[in-house]
Amino acid sequence: MNAMSESKPQLGYIGLGIMGLPMARNLMDAGYPMIVWNRTPGKGQALEQAGAVVADSPADLASRGPDVIFINVTDTPDVEAVLFGEQGMASTAKPGTIIVDHSTISPDRTRDFAERLADQGIAFVDAPVSGGDIGAQQGTLSIMVGGTLNAVEEVMPMLQVVGKRVVHLGEAGLGQACKACNQVAGMVTLLGVCEAMALAKQSGLDLDKMIQVVGGGAAGSWQITNLGPKIAAGDHDPGFMIDLVIKDLAIVLDTAKRAGLPLEGTAHVADLFKQVAAQGGGRLGTQALAKALESAGGFTFHD
Ligand code: NAP
């Protein structure tokens, strides 16, 4: 990757959704030349106006020879499609390319993808993120990285543009394994926040004051500080959609099952998210978990 030592490397970006669009923009703002592709045409328009080249397909994007290609799509089969599908990148990417996957997908399949690509001389780095749409916009994400040391060192300057805390955990798949742990801690905590707020509500407490004081003590968390006020206000707009967290918790529970580990708290919160989705809430934000408690308790957080 000689170009990288002389000038900014050429980047490619696949998947311009809630996360991918602002992350690609932050890389462009940092001076990286960019080629983009999104399945639904038009989502790259703003980046095109800012100087990005829009490709016709993942294969077309990779054939233009970018040094590093980022993926930010929904689920494991979607990553597989943009890598190995009919118009996938693996058919045209040059040896020496590094592919960085920011999607949250299966750790086991990530290892398979890395092995298949390594046979072609292509490095695959898993780099799932935490920090939500706001972290993506502000470039303050936590990034959990798996892959070979050489490849990770090459892409570290780019990861540090989009993230504030970037940690290399080891070989391919370990970034996704860490993201699974992140989802256990985050979503079981969110259930605790909802239960605490339900008790507060039924005890006649002012929810905002309760969030303020509890959030500043040993029970403080990102969830209570950022999502608690939204629950109190009945604001269920996504940042992070329930359909996506159901996908993530299925990955977590599958990984735990293979490890012979019963994660009962995680299984319970996954069931509650599915209840909310079954009532039409799949595209609401994760804070709409509160609706499951409202249904069970016969009250509403927001009068
Ligand atoms: P999103 O807004 O729904 O965007 C998903 C993107 O993936 C869109 O560009 C979509 O293209 C593309 N895509 C999906 N399936 C595809 C396929 N088969 N082929 C090609 N493109 C495909 O989702 P997001 O919130 O940006 O999430 C992206 C990833 O980040 C997910 O893995 C998610 O779990 C993870 N994540 C999200 C957050 C968050 O707060 N939102 C936080 C951490 C991690 P179209 O435009 O054509 O639909």
Side-chain angles (χ1 to χ4, degrees):
M1 205 182 296
N2 294 333
M4 288 181 85
S5 51
E6 293 153 16
S7 59
K8 292 262 190 213
Q10 169 80 55
L11 308 187
Y13 215 103
I14 301 240
L16 303 171
I18 289 178
M19 301 298 284
L21 184 63
M23 290 169 73
R25 179 176 282 284
N26 286 340
L27 288 164
M28 288 179 69
D29 288 348
Y32 289 97
M34 184 70 79
I35 311 168
V36 299
W37 178 80
N38 192 76
R39 178 179 60 180
T40 304
K43 288 198 186 170
Q45 207 172 5
L47 299 184
E48 192 176 15
Q49 280 163 5
V53 174
V54 178
D56 294 332
S57 66
D60 176 39
L61 182 146
S63 74
R64 296 170 188 239
D67 302 293
V68 182
I69 305 174
F70 294 85
I71 306 176
N72 212 328
V73 297
T74 310
D75 200 354
T76 311
D78 307 312
V79 173
E80 185 165 25
V82 299
L83 287 173
F84 303 112
E86 206 178 323
Q87 285 294 314
M89 291 186 272
S91 59
T92 55
K94 64 185 182 191
T97 308
I98 302 176
I99 298 179
V100 178
D101 181 22
H102 284 306
S103 325
T104 301
I105 66 164
S106 153
D108 287 342
R109 298 306 310 284
T110 292
R111 277 186 278 276
D112 293 344
F113 298 159
E115 279 171 22
R116 285 172 74 180
L117 290 166
D119 290 343
Q120 287 182 238
I122 298 168
F124 190 64
V125 172
D126 48 312
V129 306
S130 177
D133 54 333
I134 296 171
Q137 288 155 25
Q138 297 180 344
T140 56
L141 295 165
S142 260
I143 310 186
M144 301 155 238
V145 187
T148 64
L149 186 59
N150 280 351
V152 172
E153 280 178 352
E154 293 270 19
V155 299
M156 190 55 83
M158 297 148 223
L159 297 180
Q160 283 168 340
V161 167
V162 294
K164 193 167 71 174
R165 189 169 301 187
V166 185
V167 177
H168 182 204
L169 295 139
E171 65 194 19
L174 287 177
Q176 296 293 354
C178 188
K179 173 72 187 199
C181 303
N182 181 85
Q183 295 310 70
V184 172
M187 294 307 123
V188 176
T189 300
L190 178 57
L191 178 58
V193 169
C194 290
E195 290 195 347
M197 289 181 65
L199 187 60
K201 179 82 184 177
Q202 299 308 68
S203 304
L205 285 159
D206 178 295
L207 289 180
D208 289 318
K209 286 184 183 168
M210 174 268 187
I211 290 165
Q212 191 188 346
V213 67
V214 172
S221 65
W222 187 96
Q223 309 288 345
I224 195 165
T225 302
N226 292 284
L227 299 184
K230 292 188 179 188
I231 292 168
D235 171 4
H236 295 143
D237 285 349
F240 184 44
M241 275 186 273
I242 284 184
D243 281 343
L244 288 180
V245 83
I246 289 172
K247 176 258 305 182
D248 288 4
L249 294 180
I251 292 169
V252 169
L253 292 170
D254 179 58
T255 306
K257 192 172 166 193
R258 288 162 194 255
L261 199 60
L263 297 183
E264 290 173 10
T266 309
H268 178 56
V269 76
D271 284 343
L272 294 178
F273 277 123
K274 284 181 202 160
Q275 280 176 28
V276 179
Q279 285 160 10
R283 297 189 69 78
L284 298 177
T286 47
Q287 69 274 20
L289 178 65
K291 283 173 163 287
L293 281 90
E294 289 175 336
S295 301
F299 70 96
T300 55
F301 283 102
H302 181 62
D303 302 316

